Amino acid sequence: MPLGTPEGPTASQWKVTAQSLTTIGEYGVTFNVTATTDNPDDPGMADIVQAFVDLIASSPDFRLNSASRSYSYSEPITPTG
């Protein structure tokens, strides 16, 4: 059962979570952002998401909670015979 060459990353999901420092009562407003495009695996996507993360992180009005990219790889398996 030979394994082929890994193909990926595929099906990238880009997510950013931030919270306002201004509160409503005792709670901030949470923002959950999913960055999407026709091809989320395009190499240029990382630069755009990074620019957004930097913008939020530098803001005096918001706190960056998290930013992530999740993705998968696939590897075809062929018969040995």
Side-chain angles (χ1 to χ4, degrees), residues 3-77:
L3 294 175
T5 303
E7 298 172 11
T10 61
S12 293
Q13 295 181 345
W14 303 84
K15 297 184 181 194
V16 179
T17 302
Q19 190 166 35
S20 67
L21 297 178
T22 303
T23 60
I24 298 174
E26 51 188 270
Y27 301 102
V29 176
T30 300
F31 293 85
N32 293 302
V33 177
T34 302
T36 61
T37 187
D38 286 345
N39 180 7
D41 299 315
D42 188 284
M45 189 72 174
D47 292 336
I48 295 169
V49 174
Q50 185 66 59
F52 181 72
V53 166
D54 293 345
L55 177 69
I56 297 301
S58 68
S59 172
D61 299 316
F62 297 93
R63 179 181 70 239
L64 178 67
N65 291 349
S66 67
S68 65
R69 174 189 185 191
S70 60
Y71 53 87
S72 62
Y73 276 84
S74 62
E75 196 168 347
I77 301 172

